[in-house]
Every structure is written in C-alpha cells, then in structure tokens.
Amino acid sequence: LPILEPVLARTLGVPLFQEQLLRMAMVAAGFTGGQAEELRRAMGFKRSEKRMHEIEVQLRAGMARNGITGETAERIITSITSFALYGFPESHAASFALLAYASAYLKVHYPSAFYAALLNNQPMGFYHPATLVKDAQRRGVRFQPIDVQQSDWECRVEADGAIRLGLRYVHGLRQDRGQAMTAFDRTRTVAPPLLCTKCGSDDASLIEVVRETATARTCFCNICSHEWTVPLRTVGRFASIEELVRQTGLRRDELTTLADIGALNAFTHERRSALWQVEQAVRPSGAMFADASSAEPSTPSGDSPLPVMTDDERLHADYAGTGLTIGPHPMALRREDLAMRDRKSTRLNPVTSRSRMPSS
C-alpha cells in the first residue's frame, strides 16, 4: 500500500522492528496512541494471545473503515500477528544482531574457544550443555574427558585445540574441593627406583646419581662400574587415589561420582576398578597403619572383582554424573536395533520419506 511506504521504505517493504508494526497499525487502521500502546504491550514479554486476538478484531475494523479489506488486509494482519510471536524494538534488534554476528564469527573461526566459553557460562537458559557438546563435535571440535590429573575447574582449550572438560560439570562436587585439586602442579616428575640395569643391584649406598636434568637421570653402579640413563616419569597431580583423598578431603560420594564418570581412570584405566579403589582409599586404616598408608601410596592397578562397564552403563554414568557425554550420542547405541526393525527418522514423515528414499 502506498500509505505504508514511508513506514517500510528503509527496510525494503519488510517490517523488521516493533516500532514499524505500531506505525502500520496507526496508518492502516487508524489506531490512536493508546491503542498502539496496547498493541505494544500485547507484543511484550509475555506475548498475550488473548490480547492479540482482541487487537486483531480492532485492526480489521479500523482497516475496513479506511477501505482496506480482502487479501491486503490479511497480509497486514499476518505481518503484525506473526511479528508478535517473536520480535524486538529496533534498539534491541540491533544489539541482538551484533551479538549474533560476533557469535557466528567466533563459532566459524574459533570454535573451540567459542564452545568452551559457552560451557563455562552455564546455565544460560538456551541450549543444554549436552546439546552444545554434540553440536561442537559435529563441527569437528574434539573433547577430552574430565580427569582429576588434568582438568581445571573450568573447561579450557588445550594446546592441540581440544576442549578439556572442567570439574565444574561433576554433579555434587564442591567447588572449593574441585579448585583445591587444580592447585597441585601437574608437571612434577618421579624418578624410578635406583636399580642397576646391568647387575641388578638395588643397594642405594653403591649407586650414585652422577647427572640429572629435567627429563632424565644418569646413574653409576660402583659394583659393576656400569653407567646408565633413565627418563624421569611425568605424573599428574596425584600419585594415587589415596593421595588424592588425603590432599583434597573429598567425600565418598564425590569420589564415587568421579570414578563413575571416568575422571579417575588415570589411576586404573577403568571406571569400575576406580570404584573399587575408592572404597579401599576411604576406608579408615586405623592408628596402627596410618603412617604406613600415608607414606607409600598403593600401586595403580586395573584389577578389580567388579565387571567392566558396558557402553550403555558408561553412557548412563556420564549423564547421571555430568549431564552430558563426549562419547557416542545416546541414539548411536540404538541405531542398529532400530534399523533391524525398520525404524528410521526418515520414515516418521511419509512425505519426507518418499522424497529421500531411493526409487526401487
């Protein structure tokens, strides 16, 4: 309509902003300032369908008085009522557009940093962290699991571009305890026992350390005059689960959750074995053995009388313990069974199914 050209000219005939819709109602339907304010309120935060219906009746009557009927009137009504479902004032729209553009740029060019930032600022009220992780993985972003030896409290981007999940995602883990874990130096090294590689002597009084660097130690045996070099072993923050318990004061329930989600696998390489070791570590040793148990941590072991977790159990543990998984999508464990029963998403909609299914 020519009368709407001044209202829509700057947006090429497309109503984009709330102010344009209000002006359209005033020009086309003769709305007063008060009626336009009622329309603005109806399009406000709660977006009242009842009030919009009442205003729609007023719009039709007002346009009819101005000789606007039929298809033209319906197009105007559709523009206004559709906008009411989700629209912004111009100032809000411009701000939102800037955020959307910046977010899209970061998502394309710096995806790891983008997703790590989103995960570190939950809850945001938009997408669940589990959805963000799967969306990131579909775009090629790699994830490293929660690990008490490596993870910080927040998620972080590692040197190779992968996102290391943070301890903040462990359900029930107290923040002060989680942050206490990260205070330990993750780059400390441990030297192997003094043992001659030629004669097998382990007499420390006869074996000298003649040279030591940040990565290796050179020893000399006074029994067989043999010199050898051994690398220093780099370990994580804690030498064992027992040391983790002593240094951090974690409760049994916190340790159990960490074991369930695989965050203690650095000590055992298997979740159920970690659960077994947790129960041993939290059991009081008594006064007689307190010094011995604190002086020498037990050797990490994968042996456990408990069965190894299945894929289903690991998935369930991930969601129960963190609310997300970096493993297979839940449906991935059901696709083979669904395919055997001819249950595919493409067959849920007959039209979509026919358009995608190859002709026989």
Side-chain angles (χ1 to χ4, degrees), residues 79-214:
S79 296
I80 294 175
T81 54
S82 298
F83 185 94
L85 296 175
Y86 192 79
F88 294 97
E90 183 171 359
S91 60
H92 293 187
S95 300
F96 192 88
L98 179 61
L99 290 174
Y101 178 83
S103 298
Y105 180 88
L106 293 172
K107 186 175 181 179
V108 171
H109 297 285
Y110 302 95
S112 295
F114 174 77
Y115 284 103
L118 288 180
L119 291 170
N120 283 337
N121 284 279
Q122 297 296 319
M124 295 180 66
F126 294 99
Y127 297 108
H128 191 276
T131 303
L132 293 173
V133 167
K134 290 307 170 194
D135 185 62
Q137 288 178 322
R138 284 191 293 271
R139 284 163 172 75
V141 177
R142 292 175 295 107
F143 284 84
Q144 296 294 342
I146 298 172
D147 185 343
V148 297
Q149 298 283 55
Q150 300 293 332
S151 292
D152 295 330
W153 177 252
E154 302 285 1
C155 302
R156 72 169 189 271
V157 180
E158 301 201 315
D160 63 355
I163 297 176
R164 172 71 68 175
L165 289 180
L167 292 163
R168 74 192 314 270
Y169 276 96
V170 182
H171 291 172
L173 178 64
R174 293 166 292 170
Q175 183 172 350
D176 63 330
R177 297 300 87 197
Q179 291 175 333
M181 286 188 232
T182 67
F184 290 85
D185 182 10
R186 71 167 62 92
T187 60
R188 60 195 176 103
T189 55
V190 175
L194 294 175
L195 179 67
C196 179
T197 58
K198 181 177 180 180
C199 69
S201 172
D202 60 356
D203 188 343
S205 65
L206 296 174
I207 297 177
E208 301 177 43
V209 178
V210 296
R211 187 168 53 257
E212 186 168 338
T213 67

Side-chain angles (χ1 to χ4, degrees), residues 26-70:
M26 296 176 76
V27 171
F31 267 34
T32 64
Q35 287 176 306
E37 175 63 16
E38 283 297 313
L39 174 58
R40 186 195 66 78
R41 291 178 179 177
M43 292 190 296
F45 179 71
K46 295 186 178 180
R47 292 182 170 85
S48 170
E49 292 185 9
K50 179 181 178 181
R51 292 172 72 179
M52 279 303 301
H53 178 72
E54 294 172 352
I55 292 173
E56 182 179 335
V57 174
Q58 298 176 30
L59 283 169
R60 292 182 187 278
M63 284 190 291
R65 285 193 298 270
N66 290 336
I68 303 173
T69 58

